Amino acid sequence: STCLQFVDRFGGAVLKYPYSAGGKGARIILNSWEIRDVYDTLLADYKDTYRKQFGKKGKWPLLVESLMSGVEISFTILVDGNGHFQILPTAMDYPERFEGPASKNNPITGGVGAISPHPMESQDLIRMAADTIAKPLIAAMKKKGLLRPCIVYPGCFVSFDRTMKPTQIRVSEINIRPGEPEAQPVVRRLRNLGALVQATLEGDLDKVKPEVRENQIALCLALLTGPGGPDGQKG
């Protein structure tokens, strides 16, 4: 019923294995006919890990999200133990195994390549990410006693107006780790990565700003081999 509501209201739904899955735990549903098939496929893919955590007859948690539209953009945010932060250059990965939109037969693989900067990167976008993601998240972490030196990596969908100015950021997920493979092209564009990491650990990240190679494009490509996916996809 939840998937039917999301298909009607947002044009689709996303089922996610709600634990560590190496970026491969999402399945997209675009119409009502796919709900049962996608659900069965996801549970079959993760039945062994589900059973290890909850047993054969336990309740298997599942995350159901509405399908988000907009431009996909990832942010990498360094946070120190005092709540100071710096947003690093943006990046964009190519998560589908094959060309075209993600589907049951074209799963999200975790990314086989990335580019930095994102074509839509701007100072307006960075400021919006600071105000709508970094500041409230860090405040919540501090309130709950969870604040520590870390890397915050939110995956987002961004909407733009006719002048290509960002109007809204919707957060799809937030990780406390570097992006994979987005981190590689991001760090290639930084002149002072070591100083930023040191400031993150020492709590004075407010004194060290990212020195970015603004006139440089960085790419990361992965050459893949392997048996392929559970539905017979090529490796």
Side-chain angles (χ1 to χ4, degrees):
S1 63
T2 301
C3 289
L4 287 172
Q5 292 174 31
F6 285 164
V7 170
D8 176 54
R9 186 176 176 186
F10 301 101
V14 180
L15 301 184
K16 282 187 176 181
Y17 174 70
Y19 303 98
S20 179
K24 303 176 179 64
R27 302 290 189 277
I28 292 178
I29 297 169
L30 297 177
N31 61 67
S32 58
W33 301 106
E34 296 177 347
I35 296 174
R36 170 57 65 179
D37 194 15
V38 173
Y39 173 83
D40 288 343
T41 300
L42 180 66
L43 262 62
D45 289 348
Y46 292 99
K47 63 181 179 182
D48 291 338
T49 53
Y50 267 131
R51 285 172 177 169
K52 287 180 182 178
Q53 294 189 71
F54 304 103
K56 292 183 179 180
K57 296 183 179 180
K59 292 183 178 180
W60 291 1
L62 182 68
L63 179 62
V64 184
E65 296 180 341
S66 62
L67 184 66
M68 292 186 180
S69 60
V71 179
E72 184 176 355
I73 299 179
S74 300
F75 298 95
T76 302
I77 307 173
L78 298 181
V79 182
D80 68 23
N82 294 318
H84 307 127
F85 68 91
Q86 293 290 348
I87 300 179
L88 303 185
T90 58
M92 176 176 67
D93 76 334
Y94 293 83
E96 291 80 16
R97 186 184 295 270
F98 305 116
E99 287 189 75
S103 65
K104 182 177 73 70
N105 296 316
N106 189 19
I108 301 295
T109 66
V112 295
I115 182 173
S116 178
H118 192 287
M120 299 298 185
E121 180 183 301
S122 67
Q123 289 303 309
D124 286 339
L125 180 63
I126 298 299
R127 283 191 290 269
M128 181 177 287
D131 292 337
T132 62
I133 302 174
K135 291 178 182 178
L137 178 62
I138 291 170
M141 292 171 68
K142 197 169 187 177
K143 184 176 181 180
K144 291 179 176 291
L146 301 174
L147 185 60
R148 65 188 188 276
C150 63
I151 299 176
V152 176
Y153 170 59
C156 307
F157 288 88
V158 183
S159 298
F160 296 85
D161 63 17
R162 66 177 67 186
T163 67
M164 302 313 296
K165 182 177 181 179
T167 58
Q168 186 180 14
I169 296 179
R170 291 182 292 279
V171 177
S172 174
E173 61 181 3
I174 294 179
N175 302 281
I176 308 295
R177 61 170 176 81
E180 174 61 38
E182 291 89 344
Q184 287 92 328
V186 167
V187 300
R188 287 290 297 169
R189 296 184 60 221
L190 293 172
R191 292 190 179 93
N192 62 335
L193 177 63
L196 287 165
V197 172
Q198 183 176 353
T200 300
L201 297 175
E202 294 179 352
D204 54 2
L205 200 50
D206 57 324
K207 300 176 182 178
V208 182
K209 297 184 181 299
E211 296 177 9
V212 182
R213 295 181 174 93
E214 298 290 354
N215 60 345
Q216 176 177 311
I217 294 175
L219 299 172
C220 168
L221 298 177
L223 303 179
L224 303 182
T225 60
D231 294 325
Q233 305 96 331
K234 295 180 181 179

